[in-house]
Amino acid sequence: MTMTEERKRITQRGLWFEEFEVGTVYEHRPGRTVTEADNVLFTTLTMNTQPLHLDQAASEQLPPFHDRLVNSMFTLSTLVGQSVSQLTLGTIVANLGFTEISFPAPVRHGDTLYGETLVLDKRESKSRPGEGVVTLQHTARNQKGEVVAVATRKTLVRMAPDE
């Protein structure tokens, strides 16, 4: 190839509505190891004064964990964030809502979060031509494979542009 020849270029993006397949599971990698600094920064930025996230001495006295835990909203935000580059980067119009959010096990400093997303449903929008509603179930597991968060989310996604 000479310097004057044009190279093929690929720009990373999420999936267009038509590319989502119901029943498909997308594994999001790399994982994200959560540090104490992540937890303290997120917790203080969001003005959450819960000692369970900030005060080691107080948390050691609180059953059943006897330790500080990672803020569950950080866990949820990280889980959704892990899906962006693979699923919705530049193709999402809006988050329409979250349902059925649960945190079946705690996240601790030093845990690594691995996310995956199952496409539950999709339908063309009735009111917004060129867009569709995709329902996603996000699941986060720690390095031991334990489920630490599950959230169902509806998103409004663009359809592929006419080329």
Side-chain angles (χ1 to χ4, degrees), residues 9-68:
R9 294 187 177 271
I10 298 172
T11 301
Q12 181 158 345
R13 63 164 170 83
L15 303 178
W16 300 116
F17 173 79
E18 296 88 346
E19 295 173 311
F20 281 94
E21 294 180 34
V22 174
T24 299
V25 175
Y26 296 88
E27 295 180 349
H28 312 303
R29 298 298 183 266
R32 171 68 158 80
T33 301
V34 180
T35 68
E36 178 182 13
D38 295 327
N39 188 39
V40 171
L41 178 62
F42 184 90
T43 298
T44 56
L45 283 174
T46 58
M47 299 183 68
N48 181 339
T49 58
Q50 178 56 252
L52 185 60
H53 307 309
L54 296 172
D55 186 331
Q56 183 64 35
S59 296
E60 287 174 355
Q61 305 304 312
L62 298 172
F65 304 111
H66 300 284
D67 196 8
R68 280 181 298 163

CSV table of all heavy atoms in Angstrom, one decimal, residues 9-68:
chain,number,residue,atom,x,y,z
A,9,ARG,N,-11.1,2.4,7.3
A,9,ARG,CA,-11.2,2.9,8.6
A,9,ARG,C,-12.4,2.4,9.3
A,9,ARG,O,-13.5,2.4,8.7
A,9,ARG,CB,-11.2,4.5,8.6
A,9,ARG,CG,-9.9,5.1,8.1
A,9,ARG,CD,-9.9,6.6,8.3
A,9,ARG,NE,-8.7,7.1,7.8
A,9,ARG,CZ,-7.6,7.2,8.6
A,9,ARG,NH1,-7.7,6.9,9.9
A,9,ARG,NH2,-6.5,7.7,8.2
A,10,ILE,N,-12.3,2.1,10.6
A,10,ILE,CA,-13.4,1.6,11.4
A,10,ILE,C,-13.5,2.5,12.6
A,10,ILE,O,-12.5,2.6,13.3
A,10,ILE,CB,-13.3,0.1,11.8
A,10,ILE,CG1,-13.2,-0.7,10.5
A,10,ILE,CG2,-14.4,-0.3,12.7
A,10,ILE,CD1,-12.9,-2.2,10.7
A,11,THR,N,-14.6,3.1,12.8
A,11,THR,CA,-14.9,3.9,14.0
A,11,THR,C,-15.7,3.1,15.0
A,11,THR,O,-16.7,2.5,14.7
A,11,THR,CB,-15.6,5.2,13.7
A,11,THR,OG1,-14.9,5.9,12.7
A,11,THR,CG2,-15.9,6.0,14.9
A,12,GLN,N,-15.2,2.9,16.2
A,12,GLN,CA,-15.9,2.2,17.2
A,12,GLN,C,-17.2,2.8,17.6
A,12,GLN,O,-17.3,4.0,17.7
A,12,GLN,CB,-15.1,2.0,18.5
A,12,GLN,CG,-15.8,1.2,19.5
A,12,GLN,CD,-14.9,0.6,20.6
A,12,GLN,OE1,-13.7,0.5,20.4
A,12,GLN,NE2,-15.5,0.1,21.6
A,13,ARG,N,-18.2,2.0,17.7
A,13,ARG,CA,-19.6,2.5,18.0
A,13,ARG,C,-20.3,1.3,18.7
A,13,ARG,O,-19.9,0.2,18.7
A,13,ARG,CB,-20.3,2.9,16.8
A,13,ARG,CG,-20.6,1.8,15.8
A,13,ARG,CD,-21.6,2.1,14.7
A,13,ARG,NE,-21.7,1.1,13.7
A,13,ARG,CZ,-22.3,-0.1,13.8
A,13,ARG,NH1,-23.0,-0.4,14.9
A,13,ARG,NH2,-22.3,-0.9,12.8
A,14,GLY,N,-21.5,1.7,19.2
A,14,GLY,CA,-22.4,0.7,19.8
A,14,GLY,C,-23.2,0.1,18.7
A,14,GLY,O,-22.9,0.3,17.5
A,15,LEU,N,-24.1,-0.7,19.0
A,15,LEU,CA,-25.0,-1.4,18.1
A,15,LEU,C,-26.1,-0.6,17.7
A,15,LEU,O,-26.7,0.1,18.5
A,15,LEU,CB,-25.5,-2.7,18.7
A,15,LEU,CG,-24.4,-3.7,19.2
A,15,LEU,CD1,-25.1,-4.9,19.8
A,15,LEU,CD2,-23.5,-4.1,18.1
A,16,TRP,N,-26.5,-0.6,16.4
A,16,TRP,CA,-27.7,0.0,15.9
A,16,TRP,C,-28.8,-0.9,16.4
A,16,TRP,O,-28.6,-2.1,16.6
A,16,TRP,CB,-27.7,0.1,14.4
A,16,TRP,CG,-26.6,0.9,13.8
A,16,TRP,CD1,-25.6,0.5,13.0
A,16,TRP,CD2,-26.4,2.3,14.0
A,16,TRP,NE1,-24.8,1.6,12.6
A,16,TRP,CE2,-25.3,2.7,13.2
A,16,TRP,CE3,-27.1,3.3,14.7
A,16,TRP,CZ2,-24.8,4.0,13.2
A,16,TRP,CZ3,-26.6,4.6,14.7
A,16,TRP,CH2,-25.4,4.9,13.9
A,17,PHE,N,-30.0,-0.4,16.4
A,17,PHE,CA,-31.2,-1.2,16.9
A,17,PHE,C,-31.3,-2.5,16.2
A,17,PHE,O,-31.5,-3.6,16.8
A,17,PHE,CB,-32.5,-0.4,16.6
A,17,PHE,CG,-33.7,-1.1,16.9
A,17,PHE,CD1,-34.2,-1.3,18.2
A,17,PHE,CD2,-34.5,-1.7,15.8
A,17,PHE,CE1,-35.3,-2.0,18.4
A,17,PHE,CE2,-35.6,-2.4,16.1
A,17,PHE,CZ,-36.1,-2.6,17.4
A,18,GLU,N,-31.1,-2.5,14.9
A,18,GLU,CA,-31.2,-3.8,14.1
A,18,GLU,C,-30.2,-4.8,14.5
A,18,GLU,O,-30.4,-6.0,14.2
A,18,GLU,CB,-31.1,-3.5,12.6
A,18,GLU,CG,-32.1,-2.6,12.0
A,18,GLU,CD,-31.8,-1.1,12.1
A,18,GLU,OE1,-30.9,-0.7,12.9
A,18,GLU,OE2,-32.5,-0.3,11.4
A,19,GLU,N,-29.1,-4.4,15.0
A,19,GLU,CA,-28.0,-5.3,15.4
A,19,GLU,C,-28.2,-6.1,16.7
A,19,GLU,O,-27.5,-7.1,17.0
A,19,GLU,CB,-26.6,-4.6,15.4
A,19,GLU,CG,-26.3,-4.1,14.0
A,19,GLU,CD,-25.0,-3.2,14.0
A,19,GLU,OE1,-24.9,-2.3,14.9
A,19,GLU,OE2,-24.1,-3.5,13.2
A,20,PHE,N,-29.1,-5.5,17.6
A,20,PHE,CA,-29.3,-6.2,18.8
A,20,PHE,C,-30.1,-7.5,18.6
A,20,PHE,O,-31.1,-7.5,17.8
A,20,PHE,CB,-30.2,-5.3,19.8
A,20,PHE,CG,-29.4,-4.3,20.5
A,20,PHE,CD1,-29.3,-3.0,19.9
A,20,PHE,CD2,-28.7,-4.6,21.7
A,20,PHE,CE1,-28.5,-2.0,20.6
A,20,PHE,CE2,-28.0,-3.6,22.3
A,20,PHE,CZ,-27.9,-2.3,21.8
A,21,GLU,N,-29.7,-8.6,19.2
A,21,GLU,CA,-30.3,-9.9,19.0
A,21,GLU,C,-30.9,-10.3,20.4
A,21,GLU,O,-30.1,-10.5,21.3
A,21,GLU,CB,-29.4,-10.9,18.5
A,21,GLU,CG,-28.9,-10.7,17.1
A,21,GLU,CD,-27.9,-11.7,16.6
A,21,GLU,OE1,-28.1,-12.9,17.0
A,21,GLU,OE2,-27.0,-11.4,15.8
A,22,VAL,N,-32.2,-10.5,20.5
A,22,VAL,CA,-32.8,-11.0,21.7
A,22,VAL,C,-32.2,-12.3,22.1
A,22,VAL,O,-32.1,-13.2,21.2
A,22,VAL,CB,-34.3,-11.0,21.6
A,22,VAL,CG1,-35.0,-11.6,22.8
A,22,VAL,CG2,-34.9,-9.6,21.3
A,23,GLY,N,-31.9,-12.5,23.3
A,23,GLY,CA,-31.3,-13.8,23.8
A,23,GLY,C,-29.8,-13.8,23.8
A,23,GLY,O,-29.2,-14.7,24.3
A,24,THR,N,-29.1,-12.8,23.2
A,24,THR,CA,-27.7,-12.8,23.1
A,24,THR,C,-27.1,-12.2,24.4
A,24,THR,O,-27.7,-11.2,25.0
A,24,THR,CB,-27.2,-11.9,21.9
A,24,THR,OG1,-27.7,-12.6,20.7
A,24,THR,CG2,-25.7,-11.9,21.9
A,25,VAL,N,-26.0,-12.8,24.9
A,25,VAL,CA,-25.3,-12.3,26.1
A,25,VAL,C,-24.0,-11.7,25.6
A,25,VAL,O,-23.2,-12.3,24.9
A,25,VAL,CB,-25.0,-13.4,27.1
A,25,VAL,CG1,-24.2,-12.8,28.3
A,25,VAL,CG2,-26.3,-13.9,27.7
A,26,TYR,N,-23.8,-10.4,26.0
A,26,TYR,CA,-22.5,-9.7,25.7
A,26,TYR,C,-21.7,-9.7,26.9
A,26,TYR,O,-22.1,-9.1,27.9
A,26,TYR,CB,-22.8,-8.3,25.1
A,26,TYR,CG,-23.5,-8.3,23.8
A,26,TYR,CD1,-24.9,-8.3,23.8
A,26,TYR,CD2,-22.8,-8.3,22.6
A,26,TYR,CE1,-25.6,-8.3,22.6
A,26,TYR,CE2,-23.5,-8.3,21.4
A,26,TYR,CZ,-24.9,-8.3,21.4
A,26,TYR,OH,-25.6,-8.3,20.2
A,27,GLU,N,-20.4,-10.2,26.9
A,27,GLU,CA,-19.5,-10.1,28.0
A,27,GLU,C,-18.7,-8.9,27.8
A,27,GLU,O,-18.1,-8.7,26.8
A,27,GLU,CB,-18.7,-11.4,28.1
A,27,GLU,CG,-19.5,-12.6,28.4
A,27,GLU,CD,-18.7,-13.9,28.4
A,27,GLU,OE1,-17.5,-13.8,28.1
A,27,GLU,OE2,-19.2,-14.9,28.9
A,28,HIS,N,-18.6,-8.1,28.9
A,28,HIS,CA,-17.9,-6.8,28.8
A,28,HIS,C,-16.5,-7.0,29.5
A,28,HIS,O,-16.4,-7.3,30.7
A,28,HIS,CB,-18.7,-5.7,29.4
A,28,HIS,CG,-20.1,-5.6,29.0
A,28,HIS,ND1,-20.4,-5.5,27.6
A,28,HIS,CD2,-21.2,-5.7,29.6
A,28,HIS,CE1,-21.7,-5.5,27.5
A,28,HIS,NE2,-22.3,-5.7,28.7
A,29,ARG,N,-15.4,-6.8,28.7
A,29,ARG,CA,-14.1,-6.9,29.3
A,29,ARG,C,-13.3,-5.7,28.8
A,29,ARG,O,-13.6,-5.1,27.8
A,29,ARG,CB,-13.4,-8.2,28.7
A,29,ARG,CG,-14.1,-9.5,29.1
A,29,ARG,CD,-14.1,-9.6,30.6
A,29,ARG,NE,-14.7,-10.9,31.1
A,29,ARG,CZ,-16.0,-11.1,31.4
A,29,ARG,NH1,-16.9,-10.1,31.4
A,29,ARG,NH2,-16.4,-12.2,31.8
A,30,PRO,N,-12.3,-5.2,29.6
A,30,PRO,CA,-11.8,-5.9,30.7
A,30,PRO,C,-12.6,-5.6,32.0
A,30,PRO,O,-13.6,-4.8,32.0
A,30,PRO,CB,-10.4,-5.2,30.9
A,30,PRO,CG,-10.6,-3.8,30.4
A,30,PRO,CD,-11.6,-4.0,29.2
A,31,GLY,N,-12.3,-6.4,33.0
A,31,GLY,CA,-13.0,-6.2,34.3
A,31,GLY,C,-12.5,-4.9,34.9
A,31,GLY,O,-11.6,-4.2,34.4
A,32,ARG,N,-13.1,-4.5,36.0
A,32,ARG,CA,-12.7,-3.2,36.7
A,32,ARG,C,-12.5,-3.5,38.2
A,32,ARG,O,-13.4,-3.9,38.9
A,32,ARG,CB,-13.8,-2.2,36.5
A,32,ARG,CG,-13.7,-0.9,37.4
A,32,ARG,CD,-12.5,-0.1,36.9
A,32,ARG,NE,-12.6,1.3,37.2
A,32,ARG,CZ,-12.3,1.8,38.4
A,32,ARG,NH1,-11.9,1.1,39.4
A,32,ARG,NH2,-12.4,3.1,38.6
A,33,THR,N,-11.2,-3.4,38.6
A,33,THR,CA,-10.9,-3.6,40.0
A,33,THR,C,-11.2,-2.3,40.8
A,33,THR,O,-10.8,-1.3,40.4
A,33,THR,CB,-9.4,-4.0,40.2
A,33,THR,OG1,-9.2,-5.2,39.5
A,33,THR,CG2,-9.1,-4.3,41.7
A,34,VAL,N,-12.0,-2.5,41.8
A,34,VAL,CA,-12.5,-1.3,42.6
A,34,VAL,C,-11.5,-1.0,43.8
A,34,VAL,O,-11.2,-1.9,44.5
A,34,VAL,CB,-13.9,-1.6,43.2
A,34,VAL,CG1,-14.4,-0.4,44.0
A,34,VAL,CG2,-14.9,-2.0,42.0
A,35,THR,N,-11.1,0.2,43.9
A,35,THR,CA,-10.2,0.6,44.9
A,35,THR,C,-10.9,1.4,46.0
A,35,THR,O,-12.0,1.8,45.8
A,35,THR,CB,-9.0,1.5,44.4
A,35,THR,OG1,-9.6,2.7,44.0
A,35,THR,CG2,-8.3,0.8,43.2
A,36,GLU,N,-10.2,1.5,47.1
A,36,GLU,CA,-10.8,2.3,48.2
A,36,GLU,C,-11.0,3.7,47.8
A,36,GLU,O,-12.0,4.4,48.1
A,36,GLU,CB,-9.8,2.3,49.4
A,36,GLU,CG,-10.3,3.1,50.6
A,36,GLU,CD,-9.3,3.1,51.7
A,36,GLU,OE1,-8.2,2.7,51.6
A,36,GLU,OE2,-9.7,3.7,52.8
A,37,ALA,N,-10.0,4.3,47.0
A,37,ALA,CA,-10.1,5.6,46.5
A,37,ALA,C,-11.4,5.8,45.6
A,37,ALA,O,-12.0,6.8,45.7
A,37,ALA,CB,-8.9,6.0,45.7
A,38,ASP,N,-11.7,4.8,44.7
A,38,ASP,CA,-12.9,4.9,43.9
A,38,ASP,C,-14.1,5.0,44.8
A,38,ASP,O,-15.0,5.9,44.5
A,38,ASP,CB,-13.1,3.6,43.1
A,38,ASP,CG,-12.0,3.3,42.1
A,38,ASP,OD1,-11.5,4.3,41.5
A,38,ASP,OD2,-11.7,2.1,41.8
A,39,ASN,N,-14.2,4.2,45.8
A,39,ASN,CA,-15.4,4.2,46.7
A,39,ASN,C,-15.5,5.5,47.5
A,39,ASN,O,-16.6,6.1,47.5
A,39,ASN,CB,-15.3,3.0,47.7
A,39,ASN,CG,-16.5,2.8,48.5
A,39,ASN,OD1,-17.6,3.0,48.0
A,39,ASN,ND2,-16.3,2.5,49.7
A,40,VAL,N,-14.4,6.0,48.0
A,40,VAL,CA,-14.5,7.2,48.8
A,40,VAL,C,-14.8,8.4,47.9
A,40,VAL,O,-15.6,9.3,48.2
A,40,VAL,CB,-13.2,7.5,49.6
A,40,VAL,CG1,-13.1,8.8,50.2
A,40,VAL,CG2,-13.0,6.4,50.7
A,41,LEU,N,-14.2,8.5,46.7
A,41,LEU,CA,-14.4,9.6,45.8
A,41,LEU,C,-15.9,9.6,45.4
A,41,LEU,O,-16.6,10.6,45.4
A,41,LEU,CB,-13.5,9.5,44.6
A,41,LEU,CG,-13.7,10.6,43.6
A,41,LEU,CD1,-13.5,12.0,44.1
A,41,LEU,CD2,-12.8,10.4,42.3
A,42,PHE,N,-16.4,8.5,44.9
A,42,PHE,CA,-17.8,8.4,44.4
A,42,PHE,C,-18.7,8.8,45.5
A,42,PHE,O,-19.7,9.5,45.4
A,42,PHE,CB,-18.1,7.0,43.9
A,42,PHE,CG,-19.4,6.9,43.3
A,42,PHE,CD1,-19.7,7.2,41.9
A,42,PHE,CD2,-20.5,6.5,44.0
A,42,PHE,CE1,-20.9,7.1,41.4
A,42,PHE,CE2,-21.8,6.4,43.5
A,42,PHE,CZ,-22.0,6.7,42.2
A,43,THR,N,-18.5,8.2,46.7
A,43,THR,CA,-19.4,8.4,47.8
A,43,THR,C,-19.4,9.9,48.3
A,43,THR,O,-20.5,10.4,48.5
A,43,THR,CB,-19.0,7.5,49.0
A,43,THR,OG1,-19.1,6.1,48.6
A,43,THR,CG2,-19.8,7.7,50.2
A,44,THR,N,-18.3,10.5,48.3
A,44,THR,CA,-18.2,11.9,48.7
A,44,THR,C,-18.7,12.8,47.6
A,44,THR,O,-19.4,13.8,47.8
A,44,THR,CB,-16.8,12.3,49.2
A,44,THR,OG1,-15.9,12.1,48.1
A,44,THR,CG2,-16.4,11.6,50.4
A,45,LEU,N,-18.5,12.5,46.3
A,45,LEU,CA,-19.0,13.3,45.2
A,45,LEU,C,-20.5,13.3,45.2
A,45,LEU,O,-21.1,14.3,44.8
A,45,LEU,CB,-18.5,12.8,43.9
A,45,LEU,CG,-17.0,13.1,43.5
A,45,LEU,CD1,-16.6,12.4,42.2
A,45,LEU,CD2,-16.8,14.6,43.3
A,46,THR,N,-21.1,12.2,45.6
A,46,THR,CA,-22.6,12.1,45.5
A,46,THR,C,-23.2,12.5,46.9
A,46,THR,O,-24.4,12.2,47.1
A,46,THR,CB,-23.0,10.7,45.1
A,46,THR,OG1,-22.4,9.7,46.0
A,46,THR,CG2,-22.5,10.4,43.7
A,47,MET,N,-22.4,13.0,47.8
A,47,MET,CA,-22.8,13.5,49.1
A,47,MET,C,-23.5,12.4,49.9
A,47,MET,O,-24.4,12.6,50.7
A,47,MET,CB,-23.7,14.7,49.0
A,47,MET,CG,-23.0,15.8,48.3
A,47,MET,SD,-24.0,17.3,48.2
A,47,MET,CE,-24.1,17.8,49.9
A,48,ASN,N,-23.1,11.2,49.8
A,48,ASN,CA,-23.6,10.0,50.6
A,48,ASN,C,-22.7,9.9,51.8
A,48,ASN,O,-21.6,9.5,51.8
A,48,ASN,CB,-23.5,8.8,49.7
A,48,ASN,CG,-24.1,7.6,50.5
A,48,ASN,OD1,-24.1,7.5,51.7
A,48,ASN,ND2,-24.4,6.6,49.7
A,49,THR,N,-23.3,10.3,53.0
A,49,THR,CA,-22.5,10.3,54.2
A,49,THR,C,-22.6,9.0,55.0
A,49,THR,O,-22.3,8.9,56.2
A,49,THR,CB,-23.0,11.4,55.1
A,49,THR,OG1,-24.4,11.3,55.4
A,49,THR,CG2,-22.7,12.8,54.4
A,50,GLN,N,-23.1,7.9,54.3
A,50,GLN,CA,-23.2,6.6,55.0
A,50,GLN,C,-21.9,6.1,55.6
A,50,GLN,O,-21.0,5.9,54.8
A,50,GLN,CB,-23.8,5.6,54.0
A,50,GLN,CG,-24.0,4.2,54.5
A,50,GLN,CD,-24.9,4.1,55.8
A,50,GLN,OE1,-24.3,3.9,56.8
A,50,GLN,NE2,-26.1,4.4,55.6
A,51,PRO,N,-21.8,5.9,56.9
A,51,PRO,CA,-20.5,5.4,57.4
A,51,PRO,C,-20.1,4.1,56.9
A,51,PRO,O,-18.9,3.8,56.8
A,51,PRO,CB,-20.8,5.3,58.9
A,51,PRO,CG,-21.9,6.2,59.2
A,51,PRO,CD,-22.7,6.2,57.9
A,52,LEU,N,-21.0,3.3,56.4
A,52,LEU,CA,-20.7,2.0,55.8
A,52,LEU,C,-19.7,2.1,54.7
A,52,LEU,O,-19.0,1.1,54.4
A,52,LEU,CB,-22.0,1.3,55.3
A,52,LEU,CG,-21.9,-0.1,54.8
A,52,LEU,CD1,-21.4,-1.1,55.9
A,52,LEU,CD2,-23.3,-0.6,54.3
A,53,HIS,N,-19.7,3.2,54.0
A,53,HIS,CA,-18.8,3.5,52.9
A,53,HIS,C,-17.5,4.3,53.3
A,53,HIS,O,-16.5,4.2,52.5
A,53,HIS,CB,-19.5,4.2,51.7
A,53,HIS,CG,-20.8,3.5,51.3
A,53,HIS,ND1,-20.8,2.2,51.0
A,53,HIS,CD2,-22.0,4.0,51.2
A,53,HIS,CE1,-22.1,1.9,50.7
A,53,HIS,NE2,-22.8,3.0,50.8
A,54,LEU,N,-17.6,5.0,54.4
A,54,LEU,CA,-16.6,6.0,54.7
A,54,LEU,C,-15.8,5.8,55.9
A,54,LEU,O,-14.7,6.2,56.1
A,54,LEU,CB,-17.2,7.4,54.7
A,54,LEU,CG,-17.8,7.9,53.4
A,54,LEU,CD1,-18.5,9.3,53.7
A,54,LEU,CD2,-16.7,8.1,52.4
A,55,ASP,N,-16.4,5.1,56.9
A,55,ASP,CA,-15.8,5.1,58.3
A,55,ASP,C,-15.5,3.6,58.7
A,55,ASP,O,-16.4,2.9,59.0
A,55,ASP,CB,-16.9,5.7,59.2
A,55,ASP,CG,-16.4,5.8,60.7
A,55,ASP,OD1,-15.5,5.1,61.1
A,55,ASP,OD2,-16.9,6.7,61.4
A,56,GLN,N,-14.2,3.3,58.5
A,56,GLN,CA,-13.8,1.9,58.8
A,56,GLN,C,-14.1,1.6,60.3
A,56,GLN,O,-14.6,0.5,60.5
A,56,GLN,CB,-12.3,1.8,58.5
A,56,GLN,CG,-11.8,0.3,58.7
A,56,GLN,CD,-12.4,-0.7,57.8
A,56,GLN,OE1,-12.7,-0.4,56.6
A,56,GLN,NE2,-12.6,-1.9,58.3
A,57,ALA,N,-13.8,2.4,61.2
A,57,ALA,CA,-14.0,2.1,62.6
A,57,ALA,C,-15.4,1.8,62.9
A,57,ALA,O,-15.8,0.8,63.6
A,57,ALA,CB,-13.4,3.2,63.5
A,58,ALA,N,-16.3,2.7,62.4
A,58,ALA,CA,-17.7,2.4,62.7
A,58,ALA,C,-18.2,1.2,61.9
A,58,ALA,O,-19.0,0.4,62.5
A,58,ALA,CB,-18.5,3.7,62.2
A,59,SER,N,-17.8,1.0,60.7
A,59,SER,CA,-18.2,-0.2,59.9
A,59,SER,C,-17.8,-1.5,60.5
A,59,SER,O,-18.5,-2.5,60.4
A,59,SER,CB,-17.7,-0.1,58.5
A,59,SER,OG,-18.2,1.1,57.8
A,60,GLU,N,-16.6,-1.5,61.2
A,60,GLU,CA,-16.2,-2.7,61.8
A,60,GLU,C,-17.1,-3.2,62.9
A,60,GLU,O,-17.2,-4.4,63.3
A,60,GLU,CB,-14.8,-2.5,62.4
A,60,GLU,CG,-13.7,-2.5,61.3
A,60,GLU,CD,-12.3,-2.2,61.9
A,60,GLU,OE1,-12.2,-1.8,63.1
A,60,GLU,OE2,-11.3,-2.2,61.1
A,61,GLN,N,-17.9,-2.3,63.5
A,61,GLN,CA,-18.8,-2.6,64.6
A,61,GLN,C,-20.2,-3.0,64.1
A,61,GLN,O,-21.0,-3.5,64.9
A,61,GLN,CB,-19.0,-1.3,65.5
A,61,GLN,CG,-17.7,-0.8,66.0
A,61,GLN,CD,-16.9,-1.8,66.8
A,61,GLN,OE1,-17.4,-2.5,67.7
A,61,GLN,NE2,-15.6,-1.9,66.5
A,62,LEU,N,-20.4,-2.9,62.7
A,62,LEU,CA,-21.7,-3.1,62.2
A,62,LEU,C,-21.9,-4.5,61.6
A,62,LEU,O,-21.2,-4.8,60.6
A,62,LEU,CB,-22.1,-2.1,61.1
A,62,LEU,CG,-22.1,-0.6,61.6
A,62,LEU,CD1,-22.3,0.3,60.4
A,62,LEU,CD2,-23.3,-0.5,62.6
A,63,PRO,N,-22.7,-5.4,62.2
A,63,PRO,CA,-23.0,-6.7,61.5
A,63,PRO,C,-23.8,-6.5,60.3
A,63,PRO,O,-24.5,-5.5,60.2
A,63,PRO,CB,-23.7,-7.5,62.6
A,63,PRO,CG,-24.3,-6.5,63.5
A,63,PRO,CD,-23.4,-5.2,63.4
A,64,PRO,N,-23.8,-7.3,59.3
A,64,PRO,CA,-23.1,-8.6,59.3
A,64,PRO,C,-21.7,-8.6,58.7
A,64,PRO,O,-21.0,-9.5,58.7
A,64,PRO,CB,-24.0,-9.5,58.5
A,64,PRO,CG,-24.6,-8.6,57.5
A,64,PRO,CD,-24.8,-7.2,58.2
A,65,PHE,N,-21.3,-7.4,58.1
A,65,PHE,CA,-20.1,-7.4,57.3
A,65,PHE,C,-18.9,-7.0,58.1
A,65,PHE,O,-17.8,-7.4,57.7
A,65,PHE,CB,-20.3,-6.5,56.1
A,65,PHE,CG,-21.5,-6.9,55.2
A,65,PHE,CD1,-22.6,-6.1,55.2
A,65,PHE,CD2,-21.5,-8.1,54.5
A,65,PHE,CE1,-23.7,-6.5,54.4
A,65,PHE,CE2,-22.6,-8.5,53.8
A,65,PHE,CZ,-23.7,-7.7,53.7
A,66,HIS,N,-19.0,-6.1,59.1
A,66,HIS,CA,-17.9,-5.7,59.9
A,66,HIS,C,-16.8,-5.1,59.0
A,66,HIS,O,-15.6,-5.3,59.3
A,66,HIS,CB,-17.4,-6.8,60.8
A,66,HIS,CG,-18.4,-7.3,61.7
A,66,HIS,ND1,-18.8,-6.6,62.8
A,66,HIS,CD2,-19.2,-8.4,61.7
A,66,HIS,CE1,-19.8,-7.3,63.5
A,66,HIS,NE2,-20.1,-8.4,62.8
A,67,ASP,N,-17.1,-4.4,58.0
A,67,ASP,CA,-16.1,-3.8,57.1
A,67,ASP,C,-16.8,-2.7,56.2
A,67,ASP,O,-18.1,-2.8,56.1
A,67,ASP,CB,-15.5,-4.9,56.2
A,67,ASP,CG,-14.2,-4.5,55.5
A,67,ASP,OD1,-13.7,-3.4,55.8
A,67,ASP,OD2,-13.8,-5.2,54.7
A,68,ARG,N,-16.1,-1.8,55.7
A,68,ARG,CA,-16.7,-0.9,54.7
A,68,ARG,C,-17.0,-1.7,53.5
A,68,ARG,O,-16.3,-2.6,53.0
A,68,ARG,CB,-15.7,0.2,54.4
A,68,ARG,CG,-15.6,1.3,55.4
A,68,ARG,CD,-14.7,2.4,55.0
A,68,ARG,NE,-13.3,1.8,54.9
A,68,ARG,CZ,-12.3,2.4,54.3
A,68,ARG,NH1,-12.5,3.6,53.7
A,68,ARG,NH2,-11.2,1.8,54.2
